[in-house]
Amino acid sequence: MLDVRRVRTDFDSVLAALERRHDPSLPGQLERVRDLDARLRELVGERDELRSRVKELSKQVGTLHRDGRTTEAEALQDESRRLGEREHQLDAEADAVGQELRGLLLRIPNVPADEAPDGRSDADNVVVRMEGFDPHGYAEHQRVPHWDVGTQLGILDLERAVKISGAMFTMFRRQGATLARALCQLALDRNADAFEEVRPPSLVSSSTLTATGQLPKFADDAYHVERDDLWCIPTAEVPLTSIAKDEILAEEDLPMRLMAYTPCFRREAGSAGRDTRGLLRVHEFDKVEILAYTTPEQAPAMLEELLARAEGTIAALGLAYRVLDICTGDLGQSHHRSFDLEVYAPGVDRWLEVSSVSWFSDYQARRANIRYRPTGEKRTEMVHTLNGSALAVPRVWAALVETYRQPDGSVVLPDVLAPYLRGGTVIEAR
């Protein structure tokens, strides 16, 4: 969340930054934050002053009783009781104002980085670079959608997945399942030189989901196990971000790099009207996430590193891809700066987002209370968090089987996957 002290002391610059998101509701919300903060400080100040006065009266009452001045003591007790009742009223009002203030701060998005391009929607995202794409370089046998390729080869069984679980669930079979697992192992291996592998829980508490910004705003997109008040993770970013929740890290331990391979669960509540065929939009999928805690000074270089790592894996698979610099109007709630990687899938003739690499500044860390102590100092500061999809399976899987489909209908996968495919890179129909 935003630092309320920054809103208090630098309101105009925070407002100007949020206005770049082109959300007309944000100025009013920020003004409400400023008013609530002022009211809260006023209430707390008056409450604390009364609390101090009540404590002083209690001491005086005790002294008067010891001196046998009972009448004076009882008079002060009456005054103390009246002040105590007012103190409780102020405390309750301060609590209510504080809760409203926190609830509002949880919903206001992060301020965009100065370097983020201005824009109102995804149509204004900037293509930074494009690699390996030739619109005329694909043959007819590559123009077959992956759901048809998968069915023909017996490696994608959407019909039975729907029978088992319902729409927008998928099931890989035979070499299709092996390929899905191979992609995750490839991503883990390519980042193992610098990132600690973690296998976090797939169910998390509400506070953990709140720390990354999914709650309260995006509750409808998450799967909630109400009986236990646990949530199925939409991404490993959620548990990885909270590993250091309520902790103070040492500056010399930063940056801290983590990676995880997990299932991810998303309701896709906002997918009405979108193309949900095949693997384009699913409720459950596997993904390798890379994440880092940094100091503010380390963050820009880490953003470049995460992007380079995600991009490098896609390039190693030989897929055509492009990198998008996300504009201010399309940034996610928690995002300070973000880049998307999209691969070209010739069978569906579409660019498919396969990775988002993002810098959250101290927005998530403030929610999760993750701090670090600068070397040689007593004070603490908020860490910065960054993360990226090292590889998400479904759309990469789709682009691979479409791109590498052969004239005879088989699929010949790139050699980089050979060590993970039990020696066979050719998928043929049985």
Side-chain angles (χ1 to χ4, degrees):
M1 66 181 74
L2 299 181
D3 184 354
V4 71
R5 292 172 298 180
R6 184 181 174 191
V7 176
R8 183 188 311 150
T9 61
D10 200 10
F11 180 85
D12 290 342
S13 68
V14 175
L15 176 61
L18 286 178
E19 284 178 334
R20 295 181 65 212
R21 284 182 170 268
H22 302 285
D23 181 344
S25 70
L26 291 179
Q29 292 181 53
L30 197 66
E31 290 173 1
R32 181 60 176 161
V33 165
R34 180 180 59 184
D35 294 345
L36 288 171
D37 175 56
R39 178 57 178 158
L40 179 61
R41 288 185 291 122
E42 179 183 304
L43 290 168
V44 169
E46 186 178 351
R47 180 203 65 190
D48 291 348
E49 185 177 332
L50 285 178
R51 186 171 290 170
S52 177
R53 176 60 178 157
V54 168
K55 288 181 179 179
E56 180 60 31
L57 287 175
S58 296
K59 293 179 182 179
Q60 293 178 21
V61 168
T63 299
L64 290 171
H65 274 302
R66 283 196 302 272
D67 294 343
R69 299 159 65 181
T70 304
T71 302
E72 294 176 66
E74 290 177 348
L76 286 183
Q77 280 181 315
D78 289 341
E79 182 182 356
S80 176
R81 191 175 300 109
R82 289 193 300 272
L83 293 178
E85 290 174 355
R86 175 58 180 161
E87 177 200 335
H88 290 314
Q89 292 174 354
L90 289 170
D91 193 49
E93 187 175 351
D95 185 61
V97 171
Q99 288 186 30
E100 183 181 353
L101 175 60
R102 177 172 172 78
L104 192 52
L105 285 170
L106 287 174
R107 292 181 178 276
I108 293 178
N110 200 356
V111 295
D114 292 341
E115 300 80 8
D118 285 310
R120 295 180 175 275
S121 71
D122 57 2
D124 299 317
N125 293 335
V126 177
V127 178
V128 177
R129 57 184 167 274
M130 185 180 298
E131 301 290 344
F133 177 64
D134 178 359
H136 306 295
Y138 296 91
E140 282 304 308
H141 61 268
Q142 295 171 287
R143 296 292 185 180
V144 179
H146 61 275
W147 52 84
D148 287 341
V149 178
T151 300
Q152 292 165 6
L153 296 176
I155 59 175
L156 183 63
D157 196 339
L158 297 175
E159 183 178 348
R160 288 187 175 89
V162 171
K163 178 176 68 175
I164 294 169
S165 300
M168 294 174 66
F169 284 92
T170 189
M171 182 164 62
F172 300 110
R173 303 189 69 169
R174 298 175 51 241
Q175 289 156 295
T178 305
L179 173 58
R181 176 185 49 75
L183 288 170
C184 291
Q185 192 60 58
L186 172 69
L188 289 170
D189 286 355
R190 286 183 60 89
N191 293 289
D193 61 309
F195 287 73
E196 174 193 346
E197 184 173 358
V198 179
R199 179 53 178 95
S202 299
L203 295 172
V204 297
S205 67
S206 294
S207 63
T208 299
L209 204 63
T210 299
T212 47
Q214 274 80 12
L215 291 183
K217 191 170 184 179
F218 302 109
D220 288 345
D221 280 319
Y223 283 96
H224 189 201
V225 184
E226 295 184 4
R227 177 176 175 179
D228 304 294
D229 192 24
L230 293 171
W231 300 79
C232 300
I233 60 171
T235 166
E237 170 198 344
V238 171
L240 290 182
T241 297
S242 285
I243 281 181
K245 182 181 178 182
D246 296 324
E247 294 182 21
I248 300 175
L249 306 174
E251 183 177 11
E252 52 265 31
D253 293 333
L254 300 176
M256 181 185 294
R257 297 174 171 89
L258 305 169
M259 67 178 180
Y261 159 46
T262 65
C264 303
F265 304 90
R266 301 181 184 181
R267 286 188 181 277
E268 295 288 359
S271 63
R274 298 189 181 186
D275 193 345
T276 58
R277 290 176 295 177
L279 303 178
L280 299 180
R281 199 167 293 276
V282 295
H283 288 314
E284 179 187 356
F285 60 96
D286 291 337
K287 179 161 68 80
V288 174
E289 192 79 1
I290 47 179
L291 179 143
Y293 302 142
T294 73
T295 67
E297 294 75 21
Q298 294 168 341
M302 180 57 67
L303 181 65
E304 292 182 8
E305 178 183 340
L306 296 182
L307 180 58
R309 286 177 175 274
E311 187 176 346
T313 300
I314 297 302
L317 291 169
L319 296 174
Y321 69 90
R322 66 183 184 181
V323 179
L324 303 181
D325 193 350
I326 304 304
C327 74
T328 54
D330 194 36
L331 285 173
Q333 172 171 318
S334 303
H335 298 179
H336 182 59
R337 185 87 190 278
S338 191
F339 292 89
D340 280 358
L341 262 68
E342 297 181 341
V343 297
Y344 180 70
V348 293
D349 190 23
R350 286 179 55 179
W351 290 98
L352 306 178
E353 180 193 332
V354 295
S355 177
S356 181
V357 178
S358 303
W359 172 18
F360 304 97
S361 64
D362 61 358
Y363 188 88
Q364 293 179 331
R366 195 169 300 282
R367 288 170 173 244
N369 189 30
I370 308 171
R371 295 172 288 164
Y372 76 97
R373 180 169 283 111
T375 303
E377 300 189 25
K378 293 183 178 180
R379 65 183 176 87
T380 62
E381 294 185 13
M382 291 290 170
V383 303
H384 280 209
T385 57
L386 305 94
N387 80 324
S389 302
L391 192 144
V393 168
R395 293 174 183 171
V396 173
W397 192 102
L400 282 169
V401 300
E402 293 178 8
T403 299
Y404 290 107
R405 187 172 188 263
Q406 304 299 304
D408 64 0
S410 65
V411 172
V412 180
L413 296 167
D415 289 341
V416 70
L417 290 169
Y420 311 106
L421 296 173
R422 303 190 184 100
T425 58
V426 180
I427 303 177
E428 298 177 303
R430 283 187 175 178

